[in-house]
Amino acid sequence: MAVLLVRKRAGVVGETQRACHLVPVPDDETPLALTAYCGELIRQGEAELLAQPSGMPCVDCLFRVPHH
């Protein structure tokens, strides 16, 4: 199962809120928003796509990501 590693960009939220979220790969090429497994909504222009985990992981995403 493909997932994206995403966090909100610096300046959009404070540094303590820039957790690394797990997001299912969207069907739409340019979605208006991404919804992480924890329910966090990340709007277009707010996202920083990560090539590898960086910073604090979102614990709720880790618990809710489907295991296959």
Side-chain angles (χ1 to χ4, degrees):
M1 177 180 72
V3 297
L4 300 174
L5 299 171
V6 179
R7 66 179 174 181
K8 290 189 176 179
R9 292 185 302 109
V12 174
V13 294
E15 193 62 33
T16 59
Q17 296 176 324
R18 294 187 66 220
C20 179
H21 292 278
L22 298 169
V23 177
V25 174
D27 295 333
D28 188 357
E29 254 184 56
T30 53
L32 296 177
L34 299 170
T35 302
Y37 283 105
C38 69
E40 180 80 23
L41 185 66
I42 304 170
R43 292 182 174 82
Q44 192 176 55
E46 293 180 342
E48 178 182 356
L49 186 60
L50 305 170
Q52 60 189 21
S54 180
M56 186 66 165
C58 173
V59 175
D60 288 339
C61 280
L62 293 175
F63 282 124
R64 292 187 173 115
V65 69
H67 300 286
H68 292 282

